């Protein structure tokens, strides 16, 4: 009788353990997808032609995104460039340009999502 009780307890533990552990391993799926911060930010791409950089940004999300183009020049004496912030409202498109005197080392876009109505 005692042996049967131990077997039943072991069986219960072996069945419940994966269920309990699975509860801790569940990713935050739908809740993370519904997070408004995840649905913000313009989609941007940059093109470098010689010493000129152009960024093309489109915002498919309902919240306005403020973007800036940053250009790092390859020569130590060449002045790096940061564009003025440009607001990209929902469904809008902006184009930003900057340049170096000589070669471009790097170019990137920074994003500053603006709070939406009721935030």
């Amino acid at each position: 009788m005692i042996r049967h009780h131990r077997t039943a307890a072991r069986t219960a533990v072996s069945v419940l353990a994966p269920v309990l552990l699975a509860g801790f391993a569940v990713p935050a799926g739908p809740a993370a997808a519904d997070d408004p911060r995840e649905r913000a930010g313009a989609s941007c791409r940059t093109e470098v032609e010689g010493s000129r950089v152009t960024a093309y940004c489109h915002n498919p999300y309902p919240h306005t995104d403020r973007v800036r183009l940053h250009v790092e020049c390859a020569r130590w004496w060449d002045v790096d460039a940061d564009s003025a912030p440009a607001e990209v409202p929902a469904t809008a498109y902006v184009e930003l340009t900057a340049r170096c005197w000589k070669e471009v080392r790097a170019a990137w876009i920074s994003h500053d999502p603006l709070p939406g109505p009721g935030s």
Side-chain angles (χ1 to χ4, degrees), residues 42-47 53-58 69 93-94 96 109:
S43 173
C44 299
R45 67 182 173 86
T46 58
E47 288 184 2
V53 179
T54 306
Y56 305 95
C57 297
H58 173 258
L69 172 61
Y93 168 87
V94 298
L96 305 168
I109 302 292

Side-chain angles (χ1 to χ4, degrees), residues 21-117:
L21 292 175
F24 292 109
V26 174
D34 291 337
D35 187 358
R37 292 172 295 184
E38 296 296 322
R39 296 179 306 202
S43 173
C44 299
R45 67 182 173 86
T46 58
E47 288 184 2
V48 178
E49 289 185 32
S51 63
R52 180 171 294 277
V53 179
T54 306
Y56 305 95
C57 297
H58 173 258
N59 185 5
Y61 299 106
H63 297 291
T64 300
D65 188 14
R66 183 179 293 140
V67 295
R68 290 182 74 178
L69 172 61
H70 307 277
V71 176
E72 183 179 332
C73 300
R75 309 289 175 124
W76 66 267
W77 47 262
D78 205 346
V79 179
D80 296 341
D82 296 315
S83 74
E87 291 186 5
V88 189
T91 71
Y93 168 87
V94 298
E95 191 173 309
L96 305 168
T97 59
R99 61 168 301 182
C100 296
W101 283 101
K102 291 283 189 176
E103 301 86 14
V104 173
R105 174 173 289 145
W108 66 94
I109 302 292
S110 62
H111 298 265
D112 182 21
L114 299 177

Side-chain angles (χ1 to χ4, degrees), residues 4-22:
H4 181 290
H5 179 69
R6 284 185 182 170
T7 305
R10 284 185 186 158
T11 304
V13 169
S14 65
V15 169
L16 289 177
V19 172
L20 293 173
L21 292 175

